[in-house]
Amino acid sequence: MRRIAFSVVAVATVAVVASTAATSGRADEEAAPIYGVKVPAGYRDWKLIAVDHLVTGKVDQLRAQFGNEIAIKDFKEGNVPFPDGTIIAAQHWTRVPSEDNNKVLDGAFPGAQSFVVGSVVNVQFMVKDSKKYAATGGWGFADFKDGKPGDEALHKTCFACHLPAKDRDYVLTHYAP
Amino acid sequence: MRRIAFSVVAVATVAVVASTAATSGRADEEAAPIYGVKVPAGYRDWKLIAVDHLVTGKVDQLRAQFGNEIAIKDFKEGNVPFPDGTIIAAQHWTRVPSEDNNKVLDGAFPGAQSFVVGSVVNVQFMVKDSKKYAATGGWGFADFKDGKPGDEALHKTCFACHLPAKDRDYVLTHYAP
């Protein structure tokens, strides 16, 4: 009896850990290629930098950027370059219509359309370490889907996309008021 | 000389306070009618509940909901009703195209459209106090524009809109993964 009870507890523990990884990020997951960046623990609870909406032929996403305390301080003060230790996270969700919200809104706003987040598509990180990542503007990049990092080919594209924001230390996002 | 120097310091202090009010909310502003709710200090730095996108004939908004620690705990655990002390904030921004982002994206995603936040349209709050607000499901409501609360007629409409979410303690927003 004791052995059976112990197994049940073990299974329950695994379930809790998996749930935590999915919702808030863990520090012990696989590292992204090239830069070696892992998912920072607890990033989903970091302060919000901004939100945006991206539509391409393939995707329709609502997005949010979060910053660790170092990032938020510099965003608020408008300082560039960001200091070593800065981490910026970008969570991307599918954008889906909310029938519930549309019913609520229809009285006040006939024809109103509300879109909410669906599932998480991917999450990206920028980590500042001016020595370690000197070749890429001081930033290490990472892209994760379901907790697994993308491949090396994907990670080779990161820095080029951020080059146009060189005068803002390669950070595309502006702090939302 | 001493009097002049003192005046300069006083002006500088006022400027800092005004800036803080615009970005993070202050506790000493005017209270909303009916419910007496003020803008909670620092709400812009609270943890993110979710984001959404609302389009009506009149508005096109990106929106984010923030929760104080009591709110976040219950959202994550899926508990209803929310306990007294819960505060939920909803910040609404105009949704505007980002030409900068579109240029960056065009190589990888031809025709991509990026929309970011413009200015703050309004911010709304729900404050749980089951005794004080017993007549409205235990919630006090408030709507502010540029730090000033809306009128009594506006605040009379709040609870009716939240009625369809009675089985979720009148909270329309779901926690984003």
Side-chain angles (χ1 to χ4, degrees):
Chain A
M1 280 300 287
R2 180 171 289 175
R3 184 182 290 173
I4 291 168
F6 192 79
S7 298
V8 170
V9 170
V11 168
T13 304
V14 168
V16 168
V17 170
S19 167
T20 303
T23 56
S24 61
R26 283 169 62 194
D28 57 351
E29 287 173 339
E30 197 179 340
I34 303 177
Y35 303 101
V37 171
K38 293 182 178 182
V39 174
Y43 76 86
R44 174 66 181 78
D45 281 335
W46 290 352
K47 291 171 182 171
L48 183 76
I49 301 166
V51 299
D52 68 284
H53 173 206
L54 175 67
V55 188
T56 75
K58 293 182 177 177
V59 306
D60 188 346
Q61 297 177 347
L62 289 173
R63 302 170 144 213
Q65 294 81 37
F66 304 93
N68 67 356
E69 290 296 332
I70 301 171
I72 293 293
K73 181 174 183 291
D74 272 42
F75 266 111
K76 287 183 178 178
E77 294 174 355
N79 292 338
V80 286
F82 288 86
D84 285 3
T86 296
I87 309 179
I88 298 168
Q91 182 116 327
H92 304 159
W93 298 272
T94 55
R95 187 187 76 126
V96 298
S98 169
E99 296 306 328
D100 282 356
N101 287 357
N102 289 345
K103 280 179 200 160
V104 170
L105 291 160
D106 200 50
F109 307 100
Q113 288 186 286
S114 170
F115 300 91
V116 295
V117 302
S119 55
V120 177
V121 179
N122 65 330
V123 57
Q124 301 178 328
F125 302 97
M126 289 177 72
V127 176
K128 191 70 179 279
D129 185 328
S130 52
K131 286 180 185 166
K132 187 174 181 183
Y133 304 124
T136 48
W139 291 101
F141 298 87
D143 187 311
F144 292 86
K145 192 170 283 188
D146 295 328
K148 296 283 178 191
D151 62 14
E152 188 169 323
L154 175 69
H155 283 82
K156 278 184 177 169
T157 68
C158 299
F159 184 53
C161 256
H162 286 261
L163 270 176
K166 187 179 179 183
D167 62 345
R168 290 187 287 120
D169 198 21
Y170 307 100
V171 173
L172 297 165
T173 298
H174 294 262
Y175 187 77
Chain B
M1 277 302 288
R2 179 171 290 172
R3 183 183 291 172
I4 290 168
F6 192 80
S7 300
V8 170
V9 170
V11 169
T13 304
V14 168
V16 168
V17 170
S19 167
T20 304
T23 57
S24 60
R26 283 168 61 194
D28 58 351
E29 287 174 339
E30 198 179 337
I34 303 178
Y35 303 101
V37 172
K38 293 182 179 182
V39 174
Y43 75 86
R44 174 66 181 76
D45 281 334
W46 289 353
K47 291 171 183 171
L48 184 75
I49 300 166
V51 299
D52 68 285
H53 173 206
L54 175 67
V55 188
T56 74
K58 292 182 178 178
V59 306
D60 187 346
Q61 297 178 347
L62 287 173
R63 302 169 146 214
Q65 294 81 38
F66 305 92
N68 67 357
E69 290 296 331
I70 301 171
I72 293 292
K73 182 174 183 291
D74 272 41
F75 267 111
K76 287 183 179 178
E77 294 173 356
N79 293 337
V80 286
F82 289 85
D84 285 2
T86 296
I87 309 179
I88 298 168
Q91 183 115 324
H92 304 158
W93 297 273
T94 54
R95 187 187 76 126
V96 298
S98 169
E99 296 305 328
D100 282 355
N101 287 356
N102 289 345
K103 281 179 201 162
V104 171
L105 291 161
D106 200 50
F109 306 101
Q113 288 186 286
S114 169
F115 300 91
V116 294
V117 302
S119 55
V120 177
V121 179
N122 64 329
V123 56
Q124 301 178 329
F125 301 98
M126 289 177 71
V127 176
K128 191 71 180 278
D129 185 328
S130 51
K131 286 181 184 163
K132 187 174 181 182
Y133 304 123
T136 48
W139 292 100
F141 298 86
D143 187 310
F144 293 86
K145 193 171 282 190
D146 295 329
K148 294 283 177 189
D151 62 14
E152 187 169 325
L154 174 69
H155 283 82
K156 277 185 177 169
T157 67
C158 299
F159 183 53
C161 257
H162 286 262
L163 269 176
K166 187 179 179 184
D167 62 345
R168 291 188 286 120
D169 197 21
Y170 307 99
V171 173
L172 298 164
T173 297
H174 295 263
Y175 187 78

